[in-house]
Amino acid sequence: MVAAADPRQAVVWAALDEVPDPEIPAISVVELGVIGGFAFEPTARGGERLTVDLLPTFVGCPAIDVMRDQVGERLRGLELADEVEVRISFAVPWTSDRISPEGREKLRASGFAPPALMAVGAPSVPETDLLTMAVVATCPYCGSRNTTLENPFGPTLCRAIYHCADCRQPFEQFKAV
Amino acid sequence: MNDFAHRLPDATREALAELLLAIADDEFVIGFWDSEWTGIAPMLEEDVATSSISQDEIGHARALYELLAELTGQDADEIAFGRRPEAYRHAALMNHPRTDWAFTVARRYLYETADAVRLEALARSSHEPLAQLAAKMRREERYHLMHLDTWLRRLAGSDAARERLAAALRMLWADALAVFSPVPDEELLVRGGELPEPMATLRSRWLEQVSPVLAGLGLPGPTSDDLTVAADDGRTRRTDAFRWLHGEFTMVAASERGATW
């Protein structure tokens, strides 16, 4: 990891925060929590390499290649290191709890209910609790809790479909995973 | 080959490659079979659900093929699309065509519940990249389990649908047990912790979980014949139905070998 004193660290985070999620462009890859970390490392040829770990939201997410390319392109543009490598990593499993408070608010403002918080890291969460958690969705349009899960599967792997009984509006939730 | 691959003895690495290939092919082939429902599932919501589940499975297969490629120095796309049908190692459960909706639900229920038992074990694997991927896959597979459990109960609630489910289960049990056919040189993997428990132990755990659920819904469990059938060829037997599917899913790759996209 980069030492806290390295001024490049803040520059990298700021640049990453400008890379949008390809499917929900209102939220950045930093707010989405898919940046596992990054480090400047010496290369064999005496240069320096910036290595970034990217954590897929879903293993089969087809947007991950686009994200990897965009993160790489943005960071190469900074010219902070001789090489930039973006690695897909499962070392830390991405969970929906990694979405930042700002990210959750931006999701809501774009018409997506943010995922229920799962208190993750707790492998003891029983399978059945998923259903309970999935049912908790607040309508992003009117704020009502009087909503029903229409389909736990939506137009992309990470979204579920709900209906609000008060404003009678269908909406999507970023799935709790 | 990555660091993990270098640390393994050759025989263990070969056995681990067989295990990864078996699991990846299971996910890949069931993903392609059920993707055939896209556009023609019993209702619009199910169109979306079954397509999403299939996309998950094919995504899991891709990640597993990539782990395998790191282990053996091959190319993941070449493993996925470059083999003859006889070289695939999915369980015989995935040899059958999608048939009707009850058949699809019966097969997927058997597969999802078996896969859950297998993933729980693999999340404890001493092969760290596999343990990490299995832990991530488990979080997604819970949605599949929940969905298939709902469908099973729903279809079991009417006489006509329950009869179709029962007929499908009777046809599929022996081939479903092949999910837990031992992989070649499995004992090496159990000793090294790459596979934390023998397949036979996982098979018993799975049967203990699903048998009471099915019995409670008036659906058949495995017969004594199903349980004693020799499973030596459970992952090598191929059918004309699978050869047809193989022709479908390799069509694009075969049209321009070595192309990238």
Side-chain angles (χ1 to χ4, degrees):
Chain A
M1 264 299 106
V2 186
D6 189 336
R8 295 179 300 181
Q9 192 171 18
V11 177
V12 172
W13 279 118
L16 289 171
D17 205 25
E18 289 168 13
V19 179
D21 171 69
E23 286 177 346
I24 309 174
I27 179 172
S28 81
V29 292
V30 173
E31 290 161 336
L32 189 58
V34 296
I35 305 298
F38 59 86
F40 288 94
E41 295 158 338
T43 64
R45 286 179 296 168
E48 209 176 17
R49 180 192 299 117
L50 172 55
T51 305
V52 184
D53 282 338
L54 198 59
L55 316 177
T57 54
F58 278 68
V59 175
C61 175
I64 196 71
D65 292 329
V66 178
M67 260 189 233
R68 181 173 55 192
D69 291 349
Q70 290 181 348
V71 165
E73 194 179 328
R74 184 71 188 84
L75 295 181
R76 271 184 277 275
L78 295 177
E79 298 185 351
L80 288 175
D82 305 294
E83 297 170 24
V84 172
E85 187 189 0
V86 186
R87 300 183 301 201
I88 306 295
S89 170
F90 297 103
V92 180
W94 182 90
T95 78
S96 45
D97 281 7
R98 290 183 61 95
I99 302 175
S100 70
E102 299 76 24
R104 295 172 65 84
E105 177 52 31
K106 286 182 183 175
L107 283 177
R108 197 200 55 73
S110 318
F112 293 98
L117 289 167
M118 297 179 74
V120 269
S124 57
V125 174
E127 324 262 89
T128 47
D129 274 13
L130 200 68
L131 191 57
T132 319
M133 287 182 298
V135 172
V136 183
T138 303
C139 175
Y141 300 111
C142 73
S144 169
R145 305 268 287 178
N146 188 12
T147 62
T148 48
L149 175 65
E150 296 274 298
N151 195 343
F153 301 93
T156 72
L157 296 183
C158 57
R159 305 187 204 170
I161 303 171
Y162 281 78
H163 186 261
C164 175
D166 284 342
C167 71
R168 295 171 186 258
Q169 182 73 19
F171 66 92
E172 291 174 20
Q173 183 208 37
F174 203 106
K175 267 157 96 158
V177 68
Chain B
M1 279 191 274
N2 63 11
D3 298 346
F4 290 102
H6 280 299
R7 276 184 234 137
L8 294 171
D10 286 352
T12 305
R13 188 167 64 232
E14 280 165 30
L16 180 57
E18 289 286 345
L19 175 69
L20 289 173
L21 187 64
I23 305 165
D25 283 350
D26 280 350
E27 298 273 302
F28 197 58
V29 176
I30 201 166
F32 272 104
W33 275 129
D34 286 352
S35 73
E36 291 204 311
W37 285 104
T38 301
I40 54 167
M43 61 185 82
L44 181 60
E45 286 76 9
E46 191 50 39
D47 242 34
V48 176
T50 202
S51 304
S52 186
I53 290 172
S54 299
Q55 193 183 2
D56 268 338
E57 304 295 24
I58 292 171
H60 294 169
R62 176 186 166 172
L64 288 160
Y65 286 134
E66 281 170 1
L67 278 196
L68 176 58
E70 283 173 18
L71 197 66
T72 61
Q74 294 165 281
D75 175 73
D77 268 353
E78 188 58 28
I79 303 170
F81 298 110
R83 285 175 291 156
R84 302 289 313 138
E86 290 67 31
Y88 284 75
R89 289 293 173 265
H90 55 270
L93 179 65
M94 269 59 79
N95 274 341
H96 301 264
R98 68 180 156 80
T99 318
D100 64 13
W101 184 246
F103 188 93
T104 289
V105 169
R107 165 162 59 188
R108 196 163 259 291
Y109 180 79
L110 293 172
Y111 181 69
E112 296 289 3
T113 50
D115 189 38
V117 169
R118 185 169 62 182
L119 283 176
E120 188 281 321
L122 293 175
R124 295 181 270 122
S125 174
S126 62
H127 188 58
E128 208 175 312
L130 177 57
Q132 292 170 350
L133 180 60
K136 176 65 179 156
M137 285 166 62
R138 282 186 82 199
R139 308 192 77 90
E140 302 175 9
E141 293 284 356
R142 290 193 289 189
Y143 280 98
H144 302 188
L145 276 174
M146 181 176 88
H147 191 67
L148 268 296
D149 187 69
T150 304
W151 263 113
L152 186 82
R153 290 170 196 281
R154 186 176 185 179
L155 293 186
S158 88
D159 288 345
R162 188 173 60 247
E163 201 32 62
R164 285 190 184 212
L165 267 184
L169 287 167
R170 278 192 288 271
M171 181 188 282
L172 290 171
W173 262 115
D175 289 345
L177 286 155
V179 171
F180 297 107
S181 292
V183 290
D185 292 327
E186 178 180 302
E187 61 283 359
L188 293 177
L189 299 177
V190 174
R191 203 180 309 148
E194 288 85 6
L195 177 64
E197 294 173 273
M199 287 292 180
T201 308
L202 301 181
R203 175 182 131 139
S204 303
R205 186 171 305 147
W206 172 59
L207 287 171
E208 281 166 22
Q209 288 178 9
V210 294
S211 300
V213 174
L214 293 173
L217 295 170
L219 293 167
T223 63
S224 53
D225 280 354
D226 292 333
L227 290 167
T228 53
V229 74
D232 291 350
D233 65 347
R235 287 192 172 275
T236 51
R237 210 180 331 129
R238 299 288 74 108
T239 57
D240 285 343
F242 172 67
R243 286 186 196 93
W244 173 84
L245 185 74
H246 175 270
E248 293 287 306
F249 70 64
T250 56
M251 188 185 293
V252 175
S255 69
E256 187 73 47
R257 299 306 294 265
T260 54
W261 58 86

